[in-house]
């Protein structure tokens, strides 16, 4: 909660939940990444929060952009990024979207199988483009992450040299390797085993005469929710040491893709208590219903994965007691925290405002278009 | 898949996934409900699909509307429903939204606790309205449902008479009881124990001199996904018998709130295969990535609850093999079916169109506003 956000909310008159993001915090985060990993290029993961003001400020600061779709590429370009600073980082792309990205000047693409390489090769060839680059994403176990990744993205490391060789033979530049250690990764050492794997892929490709240049270290840098998280410098040191350990004095070009770590702590959501009730007189736990829920922007509460800090103006009033927190929709799945109830003040009342902190990432765009007729989450960037 | 939808899709030229809904099927469904439960008023659950064409046709046919928000009330009114045919069925309402609903002429409200009663009483009193009615939702175990309900809505049946008496004392009409047997309820007998409970609440209120009039039988009427479901007539018979069993010859006024059962089978989603791949050469199961996923409208695949029938033009080409189905976003949680993979033709290829059937309910409005830059699911009502 910054002073600027506090003042903004004091003057806000509109109804309904909103997310307010302080650009100065984003600037500060960018600077920390840049100084913690001075030889690494920062590709901001646009999907975390694509607000034009965020993209524009990061573009001005010199950031590059990791994008998931042609729409996100267009947003980054509109914010002032040049195409050479944009990566099409989704491993799942329609061939016509690849063609559009190439036409917009983008040359860097993620792949995790030969079929995706074929699409890029065909689209590049059709447009007479001979400098398209691909990096191959490899699977990584994600231990230590709060929002661990499934096997959806990446191939087994043993398959990566085949994918990269295939790209090379199709006339693309086999540029490097990427991985993702899992979102909200609390273990600064998590990059070590992934970098060992990346070095293996570099060696296997080298034996086939293919010289890779780049390791994409992915995202995973945490934002502070309920628990403290290590500082960015600790991640920087640990990554640098792991690079030295596995690549010796031939350290490759590196990039990182922070999303949550760039904007998470810059934003918060203001929400209103709509109802406080019990299911029976004997119930010990209150149900507290908010005007935002799983379908209004808090999708990451799925399986109670991300536990946001929640503040109330009554926090100082003494006693707290457990609550089940739920959203306002007529969907029984729209319950935020039940298995592990939240402690909130006993004195909490209908109409109270609560602040959900660390909500700058993965909230606004997740919001449902009109479920139950509720409008999508409002966003203010200040 | 109706002939009208087939022709619409044959002529469609736009890119991206879409939901197409055939109004004639909705009409047919409405007629079946009306004839299976001739003495019961139908309140269509607007949240299932609020397309203006659907609301307009149902209004013309004589349907009433169960709404979850002021926005849904406004949609129903705009479609031609009169306010006396609208219920504000969400038990979680802001007091100012109740006031807006009252100003729009709505008089029927759901509650499940005394605090919600107080809001309605205050809003009605402030507007000098003396004919507001409330029904109290009670908890129900939901056994037999594919999308079972949590304890989010409703109070223990023992508490219901207190809530209704409180309404009565606050000058509201204590109108009745509601429950929900769970969405996609496959057991036609599921209403029996709920009606026994409702009859107990009627009796307990009667002993306090409060005469209830109405039982809201809720929704839960299934649509056909992979498994066959009982016909609406079977539900009608079973419900009628249960009413006789528990209310004797003093059968109350009844209403039902079908949503999925009204529109589910009227719509389908056309999607494109974006990628087919394996994670390693040894993998037996293919990953099939579609251009729609959990955040593009298929939220009900959460925990693999709803298993939609999926058709391919290659279904007749012989051999099928298991696939993991996933969406197009850079979110590892955007996997549709993995624990129980789907059987799809071995010959399936990138660029193929697939049809996801039974997708007329709970799809379009669940769609994320712009996650990963992807636009919300397009909807065509024909």
């Amino acid at each position: 909660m910054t002073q600027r956000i506090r003042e903004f909310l004091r003057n806000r008159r509109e109804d309904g939940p909103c997310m307010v993001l302080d650009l100065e915090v984003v600037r500060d985060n960018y600077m920390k990444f840049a100084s913690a990993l001075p030889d690494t290029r920062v590709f901001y993961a646009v999907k975390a929060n694509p607000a034009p003001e965020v993209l524009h400020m990061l573009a001005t600061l010199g950031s590059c952009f990791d994008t998931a779709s042609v729409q996100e590429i267009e947003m980054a370009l509109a914010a002032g990024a040049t195409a050479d600073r944009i990566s099409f980082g989704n491993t799942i792309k329609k061939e016509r979207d690849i063609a559009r990205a190439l036409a917009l000047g983008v040359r860097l693409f993620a792949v995790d199988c030969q079929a995706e390489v074929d699409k890029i090769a065909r689209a590049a060839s059709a447009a007479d483009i001979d400098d398209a680059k691909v990096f191959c994403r490899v699977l990584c176990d994600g231990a230590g992450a709060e929002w661990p990744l499934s096997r959806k993205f990446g191939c087994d490391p043993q398959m990566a040299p085949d994918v990269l060789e295939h790209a090379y033979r199709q006339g693309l530049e086999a540029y490097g390797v990427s991985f993702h250690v899992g979102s909200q990764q609390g273990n600064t050492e998590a990059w070590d085993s992934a970098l060992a794997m990346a070095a293996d892929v570099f060696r296997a490709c080298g034996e086939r005469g293919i010289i890779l240049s780049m390791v994409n270290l992915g995202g995973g840098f945490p934002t502070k929710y309920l628990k403290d998280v290590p500082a960015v410098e600790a991640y920087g040191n640990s990554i640098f040491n792991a690079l030295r350990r596995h690549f010796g004095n031939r350290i490759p070009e590196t990039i990182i893709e922070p999303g949550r770590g760039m904007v998470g702590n810059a934003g918060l959501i203001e929400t209103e208590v709509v109802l406080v009730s019990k299911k029976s007189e004997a119930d010990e736990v209150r149900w507290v219903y908010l005007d935002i829920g799983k379908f209004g922007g808090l999708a990451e509460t799925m399986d109670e994965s991300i536990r946001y800090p929640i503040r109330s103006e009554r926090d100082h009033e003494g006693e707290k007691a457990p609550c089940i927190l739920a959203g306002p929709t007529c969907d029984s799945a729209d319950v935020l925290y039940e298995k592990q109830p939240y402690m909130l003040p006993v004195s909490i009342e209908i109409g109270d405002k609560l602040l959900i902190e660390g909500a700058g990432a993965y909230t606004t765009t997740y919001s449902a278009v009109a479920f139950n007729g509720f409008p999508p989450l409002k966003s203010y960037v200040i």
Side-chain angles (χ1 to χ4, degrees), chain A residues 63-372:
Chain A
S63 185
C64 301
F65 297 90
D66 163 45
T67 62
S69 65
V70 171
Q71 289 85 346
E72 286 193 353
I73 292 171
E74 288 166 343
M75 290 179 216
L77 290 170
T82 48
D84 60 321
R85 281 159 62 194
I86 296 173
S87 154
F88 200 163
N90 194 338
T91 54
I92 308 154
K93 300 174 288 297
K94 290 182 180 171
E95 190 169 322
R96 51 193 184 278
D97 286 343
I98 295 168
R100 287 168 68 195
L102 287 166
L104 291 169
V106 174
R107 293 294 179 269
L108 184 55
F109 297 88
V111 297
D112 66 0
C113 66
Q114 297 193 10
E116 194 72 14
V117 167
D118 289 337
K119 291 183 204 167
I120 298 166
R122 275 194 302 266
S125 162
D128 251 338
I129 287 168
D130 62 4
D131 58 347
K133 297 195 272 246
V134 301
F135 56 91
C136 182
R137 178 151 169 186
V138 291
L139 283 163
C140 186
D141 74 358
E146 286 187 24
W147 182 257
L149 307 184
S150 66
R151 287 170 58 85
K152 181 176 175 186
F153 307 106
C155 61
D156 273 359
Q158 297 88 316
M159 204 166 95
D162 295 340
V163 172
L164 288 162
E165 183 180 346
H166 187 67
Y168 175 79
R169 294 192 183 284
Q170 299 284 313
L172 304 173
E173 182 179 345
Y175 186 52
V177 174
S178 79
F179 54 79
H180 200 296
V181 296
S183 195
Q184 188 67 7
Q185 176 56 262
N187 176 13
T188 60
E189 304 294 325
W191 280 258
D192 184 71
S193 58
L195 280 168
M197 197 168 69
D200 286 343
V201 178
F202 268 60
R203 259 188 301 278
C205 284
E207 285 162 13
R208 302 180 191 195
I210 298 164
I211 310 304
L212 303 181
S213 317
M214 186 274 288
V215 175
N216 178 340
L217 302 158
F221 306 97
T223 201
K224 186 181 178 307
Y225 293 114
L226 283 179
K227 286 181 286 188
D228 277 329
V229 296
V232 172
E233 296 72 42
Y235 288 91
N237 287 335
S238 168
I239 288 170
F240 181 72
N241 291 336
L243 280 165
R244 289 299 292 263
R245 196 173 305 127
H246 300 295
F247 287 89
N249 53 12
R250 299 171 76 174
I251 291 187
E253 182 188 333
T254 51
I255 71 181
I256 52 170
E257 296 173 339
R260 193 186 302 281
M262 188 75 85
V263 291
N265 67 338
L268 59 73
I269 287 171
E270 185 181 63
T271 176
E272 180 178 332
V273 174
V274 183
L275 184 63
V276 180
S277 70
K278 291 189 172 188
K279 298 295 164 186
S280 77
E281 298 302 341
D283 266 11
E284 305 252 315
V285 176
R286 293 163 297 166
W287 281 73
V288 175
Y289 300 91
L290 309 178
D291 66 357
I292 186 170
K294 245 191 186 93
F295 304 107
L298 299 177
E300 291 206 317
T301 57
M302 202 188 290
D303 301 325
E304 309 194 9
S305 303
I306 297 290
R307 289 180 73 80
Y308 297 97
I310 300 178
R311 310 253 171 261
S312 144
E313 285 180 5
R314 302 183 192 272
D315 281 345
H316 62 282
E317 287 181 10
E319 209 189 338
K320 293 192 175 186
C323 298
I324 297 170
L325 280 173
T329 67
C330 279
D331 188 321
S332 63
D334 186 13
V335 175
L336 304 174
Y337 303 111
E338 182 172 15
K339 280 174 268 172
Q340 269 194 276
Y342 256 74
M343 295 301 282
L344 287 179
V346 170
S347 54
I348 214 163
E349 276 181 20
I350 292 170
D352 281 6
K353 294 288 171 77
L354 299 182
L355 298 175
I356 303 176
E357 298 190 330
Y362 301 114
T363 48
T364 51
T365 56
Y366 263 123
S367 166
V369 68
F371 189 55
N372 274 216

